[in-house]
Amino acid sequence: MDGPVKRRYDTSRRQEQARENRRRILAAASALLREKGYAGTAMPEVAKAAGVSVQTVYKAFANKATLLKAVFDVTVAGDDEDVPIAGREFIAAIQAEPDAARKITMYLDHLAAGAPTVAPFQLLARDAAAVDPAAAEVWAQMRQEMLTAMTYFSADLMATGQVKPDLTADDVRDILWTYHRPEQYELLCLERGWPPERYGRFLRDAAVAAVLA
């Protein structure tokens, strides 16, 4: 009886240590990527900042691009829990809202509030894609995930019956996808100095005018 109990204990302890290592690696990578950019951040440097071996970093993340994607995902979600964005409470609240304008406002308010922390990692992935094939794959994955999310959002808006009659679901998806892209934040906030609140209002007003009857 003692043997199986000890093995279960050891397994649980190893799993918790792996989760803790992952959290430390993600925190270290997030700080370094923000400070030094994609090209300036090396995996051994991440390992040192996280207090783990380089082998531990590569065991958790195949390469720097994969690590960047994980940092992005955690930044979007706010945690490293295994719960997809579609299953988060703020999405459920948007889906439960019957008014299309309110749906758009709720979504874009959330987007704008998170943009100062989320958009920089999207822009890092975009720029890294030009020089790193692995980063190019990650950027393509991020764009596809964004398009998929806007496909679901488009269907949700279409179901309200409040969309302009000459727009298809694909039209609505593409409009939302365009306003969702980090280039909007880059141009208005990073280059022109708009505060996130003004950026959010701009996105909301533009999307509502473009999509709703």
Side-chain angles (χ1 to χ4, degrees):
M1 293 294 292
D2 290 344
V5 172
K6 185 175 187 300
R7 282 197 294 272
R8 285 198 297 271
Y9 170 77
D10 288 345
T11 299
S12 176
R13 185 175 181 180
R14 285 196 299 270
Q15 289 174 343
E16 180 53 38
Q17 184 61 57
R19 286 193 292 268
E20 177 58 25
N21 286 342
R22 178 182 172 87
R23 287 191 289 267
R24 291 165 65 180
I25 292 167
L26 288 170
S30 176
L32 287 168
L33 286 165
R34 283 181 171 279
E35 178 186 355
K36 299 188 173 186
Y38 185 82
T41 298
M43 296 291 261
E45 192 175 19
V46 173
K48 182 178 180 181
V52 300
S53 68
V54 177
Q55 291 78 8
T56 297
V57 176
Y58 278 109
K59 184 177 180 180
F61 305 98
N63 51 44
K64 186 163 59 172
T66 303
L67 178 55
L68 171 60
K69 178 62 164 60
V71 170
F72 168 74
D73 288 343
V74 169
T75 304
V76 171
D79 57 55
D80 194 27
E81 298 300 321
D82 190 20
V83 179
I85 295 298
R88 300 281 171 161
E89 288 185 5
F90 84 95
I91 293 295
I94 292 170
Q95 292 172 336
E97 169 60 48
D99 182 70
R102 277 292 300 154
K103 287 179 182 289
I104 291 174
T105 298
M106 291 165 69
Y107 182 82
L108 293 177
D109 281 352
H110 180 87
L111 176 68
T117 53
V118 172
F121 291 115
Q122 292 175 294
L123 296 171
L124 280 178
R126 181 200 65 186
D127 295 345
V131 294
D132 181 358
E137 292 182 9
V138 164
W139 177 234
Q141 180 185 356
M142 291 165 68
R143 292 181 66 182
Q144 183 56 53
E145 288 174 353
M146 189 192 309
L147 189 65
T148 298
M150 293 305 97
T151 300
Y152 290 130
F153 194 16
S154 170
D156 190 30
L157 291 173
M158 295 294 289
T160 67
Q162 299 165 26
V163 171
K164 290 180 178 179
D166 59 330
L167 294 180
T168 67
D170 286 351
D171 294 332
V172 174
R173 174 203 63 197
D174 292 346
I175 292 168
L176 295 171
W177 184 74
T178 297
Y179 285 121
H180 191 291
R181 287 176 59 85
E183 285 82 0
Q184 310 290 346
Y185 179 82
E186 180 182 36
L187 290 171
L188 295 175
C189 296
L190 298 184
E191 293 193 21
R192 302 309 309 150
W194 284 24
E197 296 79 9
R198 185 183 179 191
Y199 162 70
R201 290 195 302 270
F202 166 78
L203 293 183
R204 177 200 66 203
D205 294 345
V208 167
V211 169
L212 302 186

